[in-house]
Structures are given as C-alpha cells and as structure tokens.
Amino acid sequence: MSLPSRPLRVLLDTDPGIDDALAILLALASPEIDLAALAVVHGNCALSEAVRNGLDVLALGGAAHIPVAAGCDRPLLRPRFHAPEVHGVSGLGYAALPPSPAAAVAEHAVDLLIREVMAAPGEVTLVAVGPLTNVALAMRKEPRLAGSLRELIYMGGAFRIEGNASPLAEFNVYADPHAAQIVFTSGAPITIMPWDITRGVRITDVHIGRLLERGGPIAHFVAESTRYYMEMHRVRLGFAGCSLNDPAALALAYVPELAVTRPVNVEVELSGELSVGKTVADFLGKTDRAPNVRLVEQFDGEGFVEHFLTRIEALIDRA
Ligand code: BDR
Ligand code: CA
C-alpha cells in the first residue's frame, strides 16, 4: 500500500488507557498523520474517565483543538469489563494531568466515525485500539462504512499465545467479542496487530530515563503513567518494562514496512464458557472461510521502540 504525499487522515478509536495515551502522543508527534478525531469507547476504564483522559492527553500534546467524541459505555451484549489493575482507576496510572480547556463534542462517536469516513470514501484510516463496540455499531448503522475505509488497523487478539484478560483471550476482544466478530466479518480491509507481537514490544526504565533527561510535562506524564503500567507488567506478567501495544498498531498506519503480515481468516469465539473472546485464525485452511484480515506475524520491535522514543523526544522539544 503506497502512502499518500499529504498526511494520512486518521481516526483513532480508543479507550485511554496508558498505552492509548502513548499512541495519541505518537500520533501528535508524527507529521505523516493528520489526526482527525478521537472516538472514545469503554474499555480500560469507564467511558467518562476515558473521555477525560483523551481530552487531557491531547491538551498535553498541544492539540486541545482535536475533537473528542464519547461513544459506547458498555459492550454490545456482555457485562462491562474494565482493567483498573492494569491502567489504574483513572486509566492513566500514577499520572495526574491538568484538565483540558476543551470538552467532548456533542456528536456520538459512532456518528462521528460514519461522518468522517463517508465524507472522504477510501481516504480515512481507522486505527482502533480498544474494544470494537463503536466500530461495530457504526458498521451496522452505515453499511457502506466497511467498504469506504482506506484501512482499519486493529490492536487486539491473542492467537498463538495465552490471553491477558482471560487464559485464552486478549483484553480488547474479550471486552466486546460480539463487536469484534461483527467487524472482522465486515469485509473491511483489516490489519490486526495482535498481543502475540505487542507483548514483546517494550520500553523499560532505561528508555524512561532517556525521556526524563529532556524534562517537561510530557516526559513527566510518560514516566508517571508507565511507572504504574510497569508495576503491573512485573507483577501480573512477570517481565520488566511495559508493552507499547497501541502505539505499535498506530505506527502501522504510516510505517507499514515495520511489519510482515499474512492473510488469514479470523473469527471470534462467542459462546465457550472458558474460551469466549478467543480469536481463532484458520492458519492451515481447515475451513472454507476466506481470509478476512492481514495478521501481523513479524514486527521490527526494536526499530519501532527507537522510532517511538525519537518521536516523543521531538514532541517534548516542540512543547
Ligand atoms: C490492549 O488492551 C488494553 O489494556 C491496552 O490499552 C491495549 O489496547 C492490550 O491487550
Ligand atoms: Ca487500548
């Protein structure tokens, strides 16, 4: 896929969330991207917290003018599922940001997604880094949406590894498996960045020290939010540092060459008592279901981490 000469119009559907916040900062730091709006969804924290976090992180990055729309506050069918033990009750770990002067727009995130995409069919890249409730409802409300996206890049799913929300399922899919199934079978051009890959894409204290050397509120925010996130990774996942799940997915919008992808059919387990939310890929063609996504199988994690740090350093210097 060739990149356009002007910045890529990007919508970010997100549940900020610590790594979501880092993805927002990376988007603001990346001239290849024209960040059109945040569509906020339930997930890591309650919707009201996620909206507040989205607004405050944009303001931190000098972009309080970018619209933030509140979306769905719960999954389509299953009970709400948040992750305070991973992101803190506020969603941003130990960080406390000054309140943004901006407020959320009145438009619902589902309507914003439809309006933005249908205004420029084939031109908008949707990066979804939370549960897919908003996106699924938008596809139901506007059936032309799936065919009108330039690309849908999704962070989610655990394929060949254990889950991080249940023994089998990754958080974003587990938090609304029905929505994920609607989206994966929608016919949209989908690239999936799974937990299989992102759990190994990590920053550590050493990287945080490098950012702190530059000083300023952005470096302080990254340090305080990831300090909580790293504690969680050490206690719950047994490794040092923290995963850059959502930033790694965002980067695929403008540096797709970081990844090697494979076309495959992916469906979501919806009824298994122990397996609900598991993403099932037909790697060996055991069914007659055609490939419906491009799954990231390899990723230059080291190259990406350096790219991420360089971009955040530039944002810090610009602030
Ligand atoms: C995903 O789940 C959330 O907790 C993160 O923000 C990320 O989008 C990783 O499984
Ligand atoms: Ca997220």
Side-chain angles (χ1 to χ4, degrees):
M1 188 178 301
S2 61
L3 288 174
S5 48
R6 62 195 158 92
L8 197 63
R9 190 104 172 132
V10 169
L11 288 167
L12 187 60
D13 193 274
T14 174
D15 59 334
I18 295 168
D19 58 328
D20 300 76
L22 300 181
I24 293 168
L25 293 176
L26 178 60
L28 298 180
S30 297
E32 301 89 345
I33 286 183
D34 166 20
L35 183 61
L38 302 186
V40 180
V41 68
H42 70 91
N44 289 322
C45 51
L47 181 72
S48 54
E49 298 289 346
V51 169
R52 173 49 46 210
N53 295 341
L55 289 163
D56 294 349
V57 172
L58 284 174
L60 175 73
H65 61 282
I66 292 180
V68 175
C72 300
D73 73 347
R74 68 195 72 187
L76 295 180
L77 292 176
R78 286 175 61 82
R80 286 190 177 93
F81 185 74
H82 301 311
E85 71 289 355
V86 181
H87 296 264
V89 174
S90 78
L92 296 180
Y94 294 125
L97 286 175
S100 168
V105 297
E107 189 177 32
H108 193 280
V110 167
D111 296 316
L112 180 143
L113 290 175
I114 294 170
R115 182 178 53 71
E116 283 282 344
V117 174
M118 298 316 294
E123 289 185 23
V124 176
T125 298
L126 173 57
V127 180
V129 295
L132 282 166
T133 321
N134 290 343
V135 182
L137 281 184
M139 286 177 169
R140 284 291 190 257
K141 189 171 183 189
E142 174 46 270
R144 295 172 299 170
L145 186 83
S148 302
L149 287 165
R150 181 178 192 275
E151 188 181 10
L152 168 50
I153 300 172
Y154 181 52
M155 191 282 127
F159 290 84
R160 293 184 165 110
I161 62 167
E162 63 274 25
N164 58 3
S166 81
L168 289 177
E170 180 278 334
F171 178 84
N172 286 340
V173 179
Y174 186 78
D176 196 342
H178 299 89
Q181 175 70 359
I182 288 172
V183 173
F184 294 167
T185 55
S186 67
I190 301 174
T191 301
I192 293 184
M193 172 61 103
W195 167 240
D196 306 51
I197 297 287
T198 63
R199 75 169 174 175
V201 180
R202 297 174 197 162
I203 51 169
T204 65
D205 283 340
V206 175
H207 299 121
I208 297 299
R210 179 171 147 185
L211 296 179
L212 282 173
E213 273 174 25
R214 287 182 131 77
I218 294 176
H220 183 71
F221 168 75
V222 174
E224 284 303 281
S225 58
T226 57
R227 187 160 65 84
Y228 189 99
Y229 209 31
M230 286 186 193
E231 284 177 12
M232 176 292 288
H233 280 73
R234 192 179 60 245
V235 171
R236 297 175 62 86
L237 298 171
F239 60 73
C242 61
S243 298
L244 294 178
N245 311 296
D246 297 347
L250 176 90
L252 289 185
Y254 63 95
V255 262
E257 58 273 19
L258 286 172
V260 176
T261 63
R262 165 181 179 176
V264 66
N265 181 275
V266 171
E267 309 256 339
V268 182
E269 174 58 52
L270 298 177
S271 55
E273 191 184 333
L274 300 176
S275 54
V276 67
K278 173 70 183 172
T279 39
V280 179
D282 186 9
F283 289 119
L284 296 180
K286 296 293 184 188
T287 71
D288 56 5
R289 294 193 287 264
N292 56 355
V293 310
R294 296 187 315 155
L295 181 65
V296 175
E297 291 226 302
Q298 293 171 42
F299 184 69
D300 177 4
E302 263 180 41
F304 169 71
V305 168
E306 184 55 36
H307 167 83
F308 173 82
L309 293 168
T310 307
R311 288 286 165 104
I312 299 299
E313 284 171 340
L315 190 67
I316 291 169
D317 292 348
R318 209 170 79 191

